[in-house]
Amino acid sequence: YRSATVARGILVTAILHKALRLSYTQLKKSAALTLMTVDIETLTFTITSFHDVWASVFELGLAIFMLARLIGGASFFVLIPAVISAMISSYYTKKLGVARKAWNEKIENRVADTKDVISQLKSIKMSGLAPFCTRRLQDLREDEIKTSLPERTVRVGLLSTGALAENI
């Protein structure tokens, strides 16, 4: 978690410095700042997962070594759940990138439309289009949530696989 916090701090600072150097028109066109939170969350999850992976490999090797000294060759049956867990995790990891990309696109669309509505809020209220715009933004949010379901399902699968491997 310390590594994830350091990386998050470095990225937020770098993005802020870059945003301060952009002109107003470039910043207005860019949706990079709006996706910053999602990308940093993904990075934090990846860094913490990476540390879990190398620690688990070390832990598994040490456990097999200690178990082999006590019961002999049968201790290698412990590898079966680990290998199955690794294969299932690999399957889910491939799906995670695709699901995350689709979700990010929906977030970007919703944020861009929200920005447009906010920038023209006075005109929208004067023309009586506020209920229409509200419904449109609500529909975009609902669509974003529906699009996020595969990503969250994959994440649950990954976490379940890890929990299953620990309890076997």
Side-chain angles (χ1 to χ4, degrees):
Y1 290 105
R2 184 179 293 169
S3 299
T5 303
V6 168
R8 184 182 314 131
I10 290 169
L11 280 175
V12 167
T13 304
I15 291 170
L16 178 64
H17 285 295
K18 178 67 176 178
L20 290 174
R21 282 188 257 133
L22 292 175
S23 69
Y24 177 73
T25 55
Q26 289 174 326
L27 202 59
K28 194 174 180 182
K29 292 179 192 174
S30 175
L33 294 178
T34 58
L35 296 175
M36 180 176 69
T37 305
V38 175
D39 292 339
I40 289 175
E41 176 193 338
T42 302
L43 179 75
T44 303
F45 178 74
T46 303
I47 289 174
T48 55
S49 297
F50 172 73
H51 281 297
D52 288 345
V53 168
W54 75 260
S56 296
V57 170
F58 176 74
E59 188 178 280
L60 183 64
L62 183 64
I64 290 174
F65 171 74
M66 293 173 69
L67 202 57
R69 295 193 69 197
L70 290 174
I71 62 171
S75 63
F76 288 97
F77 284 113
V78 172
L79 286 174
I80 293 172
V83 169
I84 291 171
S85 173
M87 290 177 3
I88 293 172
S89 293
S90 174
Y91 169 77
Y92 279 129
T93 303
K94 290 175 186 171
K95 290 184 168 257
L96 188 64
V98 174
R100 173 61 74 167
K101 182 180 177 190
W103 187 20
N104 280 347
E105 288 172 0
K106 295 294 183 178
I107 291 171
E108 190 173 335
N109 290 339
R110 180 185 55 84
V111 168
D113 280 9
T114 303
K115 185 177 80 169
D116 290 342
V117 167
I118 290 173
S119 68
Q120 300 170 12
L121 193 57
K122 190 174 184 179
S123 302
I124 290 171
K125 284 186 173 187
M126 287 174 49
S127 64
L129 293 174
F132 170 76
C133 290
T134 301
R135 186 71 237 157
R136 166 93 173 120
L137 293 176
Q138 187 64 35
D139 289 344
L140 285 171
R141 179 64 178 145
E142 289 172 6
D143 189 36
E144 176 190 332
I145 290 170
K146 286 177 188 170
T147 306
S148 74
L149 285 175
E151 194 269 345
R152 290 186 285 158
T153 303
V154 168
R155 198 176 279 210
V156 166
L158 279 170
L159 294 173
S160 299
T161 302
L164 180 67
E166 283 182 17
N167 294 324
I168 291 182

